[in-house]
Amino acid sequence: MIKYCKICFLPETKPDLHFDVKGVCAACISYNSRAEIDWDKRKEAFIGLVQEISKKGKSAWHCVVPVSGGKDSTAQVLKMLELGFNPLCVTSTTCDLTPIGRLNLENIKNLGVDHVEFSPDPITRRKLNRIGLEQVGDISWPEHVGIFTIPVRAAVQFKVPLIIWGENSQNEYGGPASEARSNSLNRRWLEEFGGLLGLRVSDLRDVYQIEKRKLHLYTYPTDEELKDVGVTGLFLGYYFPWDGISNFLLAQAHGFRSLGSTIEGSIVDYENLDNYQTGIHDYFKFLKFGFGRATDLVSVHIRRGRLTREQGLTLKLHDGKYPKSYLGKPIREILEPLGLTVKEFDSICERFTNKALFRVEPDGSLMRDAENNLVKVNYDN
Ligand SMILES: [Zn+2]
């Protein structure tokens, strides 16, 4: 039996998620503590810090803001502009960029900001997607490393001493208490929570013989390089109450486009729109831990009183559907550039499925419904 949080639906199978004695998860505890925060004071502190740190640099930009083009990064840029700062927006190009993702990225530039886009070599990237999928069950491994390393590399390159990250994922999605309260992101945070999953960049050199220079963008700058520029990273979510829907509405009012129909495996139409591989990424989370993006979103809404637990129960059934397409692109076409067939993909899925979470046939094989979906042992408690 999977144990779920008494307030939201985050399960105990989620890595690094802690529960208190009453069975409430760290994400709910940290959300509930927001009421005691003096947000005006935090805002003042933020403005002071940005002014102080950016003064140390000799750059025309106050800070680097990493942007994917999504609702959250659009809102981040708007916030920095509203406060009167001049950000350098930095994009780490995603793996299999969608047309709507490109439109939303162009939209950010038109908010009135300077922008650089780093596009790591796509041939190496596809190799890394496949290695990530086969070795640690995460097709998005290179993306999740690159979104943390590339903005830091850009800060060093352009001598901008400050990086403004969005939310601390350890806060909204649960993590060790000291990390959830943290206001800054550094090398240690990246190594622990940045999605490396035990696959180190050095392994790629030694085991898969990928040239060191092809992996440069996936590595964090050295301490010396960081010290030269004095790079500090801050989480905006520590200083302003972070909320996905509010970010979406604000972004939409400034040109951000949503899909217009619910995304496969999700319950909304306004996030994870930029990369065709995201459906596979989310599916593997379901295979390993028995929950997916729908559970994350339902939990965010329950915490804010926008959904009851009962409504959430039905909605979270969108989790973990076999990713036969994502944003309309068939899985065969998503896998093809990686040199993988659907059959090979299915056997990788099998390898990463936690069989204790799903029902099996008498012969020990995984039970599937007519749509090729796995059937969980239990859906709630
Ligand atoms: Zn919870």
Side-chain angles (χ1 to χ4, degrees), residues 215-236:
L215 296 168
H216 174 69
L217 287 175
Y218 300 100
T219 59
Y220 212 73
T222 62
D223 286 338
E224 208 170 33
E225 287 173 299
L226 292 169
K227 234 170 126 190
D228 266 357
V229 182
V231 179
T232 305
L234 299 175
F235 286 114
L236 201 58

PDB file of all heavy atoms in Angstrom, residues 215-236:
ATOM      1  N   LEU A 215      30.806  17.943 -23.719  1.00  0.00           N
ATOM      2  CA  LEU A 215      30.035  17.906 -22.471  1.00  0.00           C
ATOM      3  C   LEU A 215      30.191  19.187 -21.651  1.00  0.00           C
ATOM      4  O   LEU A 215      29.595  19.329 -20.588  1.00  0.00           O
ATOM      5  CB  LEU A 215      30.485  16.700 -21.626  1.00  0.00           C
ATOM      6  CG  LEU A 215      30.207  15.354 -22.283  1.00  0.00           C
ATOM      7  CD1 LEU A 215      30.940  14.251 -21.541  1.00  0.00           C
ATOM      8  CD2 LEU A 215      28.709  15.074 -22.316  1.00  0.00           C
ATOM      9  N   HIS A 216      30.987  20.103 -22.196  1.00  0.00           N
ATOM     10  CA  HIS A 216      31.310  21.332 -21.475  1.00  0.00           C
ATOM     11  C   HIS A 216      30.059  22.042 -20.926  1.00  0.00           C
ATOM     12  O   HIS A 216      30.001  22.435 -19.765  1.00  0.00           O
ATOM     13  CB  HIS A 216      32.084  22.268 -22.408  1.00  0.00           C
ATOM     14  CG  HIS A 216      32.357  23.611 -21.830  1.00  0.00           C
ATOM     15  ND1 HIS A 216      33.240  23.801 -20.787  1.00  0.00           N
ATOM     16  CD2 HIS A 216      31.851  24.836 -22.126  1.00  0.00           C
ATOM     17  CE1 HIS A 216      33.275  25.089 -20.483  1.00  0.00           C
ATOM     18  NE2 HIS A 216      32.447  25.738 -21.275  1.00  0.00           N
ATOM     19  N   LEU A 217      29.033  22.175 -21.789  1.00  0.00           N
ATOM     20  CA  LEU A 217      27.840  22.922 -21.366  1.00  0.00           C
ATOM     21  C   LEU A 217      27.042  22.194 -20.286  1.00  0.00           C
ATOM     22  O   LEU A 217      26.160  22.775 -19.660  1.00  0.00           O
ATOM     23  CB  LEU A 217      26.932  23.204 -22.564  1.00  0.00           C
ATOM     24  CG  LEU A 217      27.439  24.275 -23.538  1.00  0.00           C
ATOM     25  CD1 LEU A 217      26.521  24.380 -24.748  1.00  0.00           C
ATOM     26  CD2 LEU A 217      27.528  25.640 -22.844  1.00  0.00           C
ATOM     27  N   TYR A 218      27.332  20.910 -20.091  1.00  0.00           N
ATOM     28  CA  TYR A 218      26.606  20.142 -19.072  1.00  0.00           C
ATOM     29  C   TYR A 218      27.373  20.093 -17.751  1.00  0.00           C
ATOM     30  O   TYR A 218      27.014  19.347 -16.852  1.00  0.00           O
ATOM     31  CB  TYR A 218      26.342  18.715 -19.561  1.00  0.00           C
ATOM     32  CG  TYR A 218      25.515  18.684 -20.828  1.00  0.00           C
ATOM     33  CD1 TYR A 218      26.120  18.508 -22.071  1.00  0.00           C
ATOM     34  CD2 TYR A 218      24.132  18.865 -20.794  1.00  0.00           C
ATOM     35  CE1 TYR A 218      25.365  18.507 -23.234  1.00  0.00           C
ATOM     36  CE2 TYR A 218      23.384  18.870 -21.943  1.00  0.00           C
ATOM     37  CZ  TYR A 218      24.002  18.686 -23.170  1.00  0.00           C
ATOM     38  OH  TYR A 218      23.258  18.685 -24.320  1.00  0.00           O
ATOM     39  N   THR A 219      28.458  20.863 -17.672  1.00  0.00           N
ATOM     40  CA  THR A 219      29.210  20.878 -16.419  1.00  0.00           C
ATOM     41  C   THR A 219      29.125  22.257 -15.772  1.00  0.00           C
ATOM     42  O   THR A 219      29.004  23.270 -16.453  1.00  0.00           O
ATOM     43  CB  THR A 219      30.698  20.541 -16.648  1.00  0.00           C
ATOM     44  OG1 THR A 219      31.248  21.514 -17.549  1.00  0.00           O
ATOM     45  CG2 THR A 219      30.868  19.146 -17.229  1.00  0.00           C
ATOM     46  N   TYR A 220      29.174  22.248 -14.458  1.00  0.00           N
ATOM     47  CA  TYR A 220      29.121  23.482 -13.675  1.00  0.00           C
ATOM     48  C   TYR A 220      30.494  24.151 -13.760  1.00  0.00           C
ATOM     49  O   TYR A 220      31.514  23.467 -13.770  1.00  0.00           O
ATOM     50  CB  TYR A 220      28.813  23.076 -12.225  1.00  0.00           C
ATOM     51  CG  TYR A 220      28.001  24.058 -11.445  1.00  0.00           C
ATOM     52  CD1 TYR A 220      26.638  24.219 -11.712  1.00  0.00           C
ATOM     53  CD2 TYR A 220      28.572  24.802 -10.423  1.00  0.00           C
ATOM     54  CE1 TYR A 220      25.883  25.111 -10.969  1.00  0.00           C
ATOM     55  CE2 TYR A 220      27.821  25.690  -9.681  1.00  0.00           C
ATOM     56  CZ  TYR A 220      26.472  25.841  -9.964  1.00  0.00           C
ATOM     57  OH  TYR A 220      25.733  26.716  -9.222  1.00  0.00           O
ATOM     58  N   PRO A 221      30.539  25.485 -13.838  1.00  0.00           N
ATOM     59  CA  PRO A 221      31.854  26.145 -13.852  1.00  0.00           C
ATOM     60  C   PRO A 221      32.656  25.789 -12.599  1.00  0.00           C
ATOM     61  O   PRO A 221      32.088  25.390 -11.586  1.00  0.00           O
ATOM     62  CB  PRO A 221      31.494  27.638 -13.857  1.00  0.00           C
ATOM     63  CG  PRO A 221      30.102  27.704 -14.367  1.00  0.00           C
ATOM     64  CD  PRO A 221      29.433  26.443 -13.922  1.00  0.00           C
ATOM     65  N   THR A 222      33.968  25.952 -12.689  1.00  0.00           N
ATOM     66  CA  THR A 222      34.817  25.654 -11.524  1.00  0.00           C
ATOM     67  C   THR A 222      34.612  26.728 -10.454  1.00  0.00           C
ATOM     68  O   THR A 222      34.124  27.832 -10.744  1.00  0.00           O
ATOM     69  CB  THR A 222      36.308  25.670 -11.920  1.00  0.00           C
ATOM     70  OG1 THR A 222      36.623  26.999 -12.369  1.00  0.00           O
ATOM     71  CG2 THR A 222      36.611  24.671 -13.023  1.00  0.00           C
ATOM     72  N   ASP A 223      35.022  26.399  -9.228  1.00  0.00           N
ATOM     73  CA  ASP A 223      34.908  27.368  -8.134  1.00  0.00           C
ATOM     74  C   ASP A 223      35.673  28.644  -8.469  1.00  0.00           C
ATOM     75  O   ASP A 223      35.243  29.744  -8.129  1.00  0.00           O
ATOM     76  CB  ASP A 223      35.449  26.769  -6.826  1.00  0.00           C
ATOM     77  CG  ASP A 223      34.479  25.741  -6.263  1.00  0.00           C
ATOM     78  OD1 ASP A 223      33.274  25.798  -6.626  1.00  0.00           O
ATOM     79  OD2 ASP A 223      34.906  24.875  -5.489  1.00  0.00           O
ATOM     80  N   GLU A 224      36.804  28.471  -9.150  1.00  0.00           N
ATOM     81  CA  GLU A 224      37.633  29.617  -9.504  1.00  0.00           C
ATOM     82  C   GLU A 224      36.887  30.558 -10.464  1.00  0.00           C
ATOM     83  O   GLU A 224      36.855  31.774 -10.270  1.00  0.00           O
ATOM     84  CB  GLU A 224      38.925  29.122 -10.147  1.00  0.00           C
ATOM     85  CG  GLU A 224      40.071  30.074  -9.939  1.00  0.00           C
ATOM     86  CD  GLU A 224      41.379  29.434 -10.367  1.00  0.00           C
ATOM     87  OE1 GLU A 224      41.361  28.627 -11.331  1.00  0.00           O
ATOM     88  OE2 GLU A 224      42.408  29.754  -9.750  1.00  0.00           O
ATOM     89  N   GLU A 225      36.281  29.962 -11.486  1.00  0.00           N
ATOM     90  CA  GLU A 225      35.520  30.766 -12.461  1.00  0.00           C
ATOM     91  C   GLU A 225      34.381  31.506 -11.766  1.00  0.00           C
ATOM     92  O   GLU A 225      34.103  32.675 -12.054  1.00  0.00           O
ATOM     93  CB  GLU A 225      34.934  29.859 -13.556  1.00  0.00           C
ATOM     94  CG  GLU A 225      35.939  29.324 -14.548  1.00  0.00           C
ATOM     95  CD  GLU A 225      35.318  28.312 -15.499  1.00  0.00           C
ATOM     96  OE1 GLU A 225      34.812  27.257 -15.045  1.00  0.00           O
ATOM     97  OE2 GLU A 225      35.324  28.577 -16.719  1.00  0.00           O
ATOM     98  N   LEU A 226      33.710  30.799 -10.852  1.00  0.00           N
ATOM     99  CA  LEU A 226      32.574  31.405 -10.155  1.00  0.00           C
ATOM    100  C   LEU A 226      33.037  32.543  -9.260  1.00  0.00           C
ATOM    101  O   LEU A 226      32.390  33.587  -9.176  1.00  0.00           O
ATOM    102  CB  LEU A 226      31.849  30.344  -9.306  1.00  0.00           C
ATOM    103  CG  LEU A 226      31.130  29.254 -10.102  1.00  0.00           C
ATOM    104  CD1 LEU A 226      30.692  28.127  -9.173  1.00  0.00           C
ATOM    105  CD2 LEU A 226      29.910  29.834 -10.811  1.00  0.00           C
ATOM    106  N   LYS A 227      34.203  32.334  -8.625  1.00  0.00           N
ATOM    107  CA  LYS A 227      34.726  33.331  -7.699  1.00  0.00           C
ATOM    108  C   LYS A 227      35.145  34.597  -8.442  1.00  0.00           C
ATOM    109  O   LYS A 227      34.953  35.713  -7.953  1.00  0.00           O
ATOM    110  CB  LYS A 227      35.911  32.746  -6.928  1.00  0.00           C
ATOM    111  CG  LYS A 227      35.719  32.865  -5.410  1.00  0.00           C
ATOM    112  CD  LYS A 227      36.763  32.075  -4.699  1.00  0.00           C
ATOM    113  CE  LYS A 227      37.521  32.920  -3.686  1.00  0.00           C
ATOM    114  NZ  LYS A 227      38.692  32.159  -3.195  1.00  0.00           N
ATOM    115  N   ASP A 228      35.695  34.393  -9.622  1.00  0.00           N
ATOM    116  CA  ASP A 228      36.123  35.536 -10.452  1.00  0.00           C
ATOM    117  C   ASP A 228      34.986  36.519 -10.673  1.00  0.00           C
ATOM    118  O   ASP A 228      35.164  37.731 -10.610  1.00  0.00           O
ATOM    119  CB  ASP A 228      36.592  35.032 -11.822  1.00  0.00           C
ATOM    120  CG  ASP A 228      38.094  34.813 -11.841  1.00  0.00           C
ATOM    121  OD1 ASP A 228      38.721  35.114 -10.803  1.00  0.00           O
ATOM    122  OD2 ASP A 228      38.619  34.355 -12.873  1.00  0.00           O
ATOM    123  N   VAL A 229      33.808  35.971 -10.995  1.00  0.00           N
ATOM    124  CA  VAL A 229      32.656  36.829 -11.284  1.00  0.00           C
ATOM    125  C   VAL A 229      31.824  37.047 -10.017  1.00  0.00           C
ATOM    126  O   VAL A 229      31.082  38.022  -9.904  1.00  0.00           O
ATOM    127  CB  VAL A 229      31.790  36.192 -12.405  1.00  0.00           C
ATOM    128  CG1 VAL A 229      30.615  37.073 -12.759  1.00  0.00           C
ATOM    129  CG2 VAL A 229      32.630  35.943 -13.650  1.00  0.00           C
ATOM    130  N   GLY A 230      31.989  36.131  -9.055  1.00  0.00           N
ATOM    131  CA  GLY A 230      31.221  36.223  -7.813  1.00  0.00           C
ATOM    132  C   GLY A 230      29.764  35.852  -8.020  1.00  0.00           C
ATOM    133  O   GLY A 230      28.857  36.534  -7.535  1.00  0.00           O
ATOM    134  N   VAL A 231      29.521  34.746  -8.754  1.00  0.00           N
ATOM    135  CA  VAL A 231      28.142  34.395  -9.109  1.00  0.00           C
ATOM    136  C   VAL A 231      27.336  33.894  -7.906  1.00  0.00           C
ATOM    137  O   VAL A 231      27.751  32.981  -7.206  1.00  0.00           O
ATOM    138  CB  VAL A 231      28.114  33.317 -10.218  1.00  0.00           C
ATOM    139  CG1 VAL A 231      26.684  32.950 -10.559  1.00  0.00           C
ATOM    140  CG2 VAL A 231      28.840  33.809 -11.460  1.00  0.00           C
ATOM    141  N   THR A 232      26.200  34.524  -7.687  1.00  0.00           N
ATOM    142  CA  THR A 232      25.248  34.096  -6.660  1.00  0.00           C
ATOM    143  C   THR A 232      23.924  33.783  -7.356  1.00  0.00           C
ATOM    144  O   THR A 232      23.551  34.473  -8.300  1.00  0.00           O
ATOM    145  CB  THR A 232      24.985  35.253  -5.663  1.00  0.00           C
ATOM    146  OG1 THR A 232      26.227  35.684  -5.134  1.00  0.00           O
ATOM    147  CG2 THR A 232      24.067  34.817  -4.536  1.00  0.00           C
ATOM    148  N   GLY A 233      23.231  32.756  -6.887  1.00  0.00           N
ATOM    149  CA  GLY A 233      21.911  32.450  -7.439  1.00  0.00           C
ATOM    150  C   GLY A 233      20.851  32.605  -6.370  1.00  0.00           C
ATOM    151  O   GLY A 233      21.055  32.205  -5.225  1.00  0.00           O
ATOM    152  N   LEU A 234      19.731  33.235  -6.712  1.00  0.00           N
ATOM    153  CA  LEU A 234      18.627  33.373  -5.758  1.00  0.00           C
ATOM    154  C   LEU A 234      17.352  32.767  -6.342  1.00  0.00           C
ATOM    155  O   LEU A 234      17.126  32.837  -7.543  1.00  0.00           O
ATOM    156  CB  LEU A 234      18.364  34.854  -5.456  1.00  0.00           C
ATOM    157  CG  LEU A 234      19.480  35.676  -4.819  1.00  0.00           C
ATOM    158  CD1 LEU A 234      19.054  37.146  -4.719  1.00  0.00           C
ATOM    159  CD2 LEU A 234      19.830  35.144  -3.432  1.00  0.00           C
ATOM    160  N   PHE A 235      16.529  32.195  -5.464  1.00  0.00           N
ATOM    161  CA  PHE A 235      15.223  31.694  -5.894  1.00  0.00           C
ATOM    162  C   PHE A 235      14.180  32.797  -5.735  1.00  0.00           C
ATOM    163  O   PHE A 235      13.929  33.259  -4.612  1.00  0.00           O
ATOM    164  CB  PHE A 235      14.767  30.522  -5.025  1.00  0.00           C
ATOM    165  CG  PHE A 235      15.489  29.232  -5.277  1.00  0.00           C
ATOM    166  CD1 PHE A 235      16.305  28.668  -4.306  1.00  0.00           C
ATOM    167  CD2 PHE A 235      15.328  28.554  -6.481  1.00  0.00           C
ATOM    168  CE1 PHE A 235      16.956  27.455  -4.527  1.00  0.00           C
ATOM    169  CE2 PHE A 235      15.973  27.337  -6.707  1.00  0.00           C
ATOM    170  CZ  PHE A 235      16.793  26.792  -5.727  1.00  0.00           C
ATOM    171  N   LEU A 236      13.543  33.181  -6.843  1.00  0.00           N
ATOM    172  CA  LEU A 236      12.478  34.189  -6.765  1.00  0.00           C
ATOM    173  C   LEU A 236      11.339  33.704  -5.856  1.00  0.00           C
ATOM    174  O   LEU A 236      10.720  34.483  -5.136  1.00  0.00           O
ATOM    175  CB  LEU A 236      11.951  34.467  -8.181  1.00  0.00           C
ATOM    176  CG  LEU A 236      11.227  35.774  -8.419  1.00  0.00           C
ATOM    177  CD1 LEU A 236      12.106  36.961  -8.082  1.00  0.00           C
ATOM    178  CD2 LEU A 236      10.783  35.875  -9.876  1.00  0.00           C
TER     179      LEU A 236
END
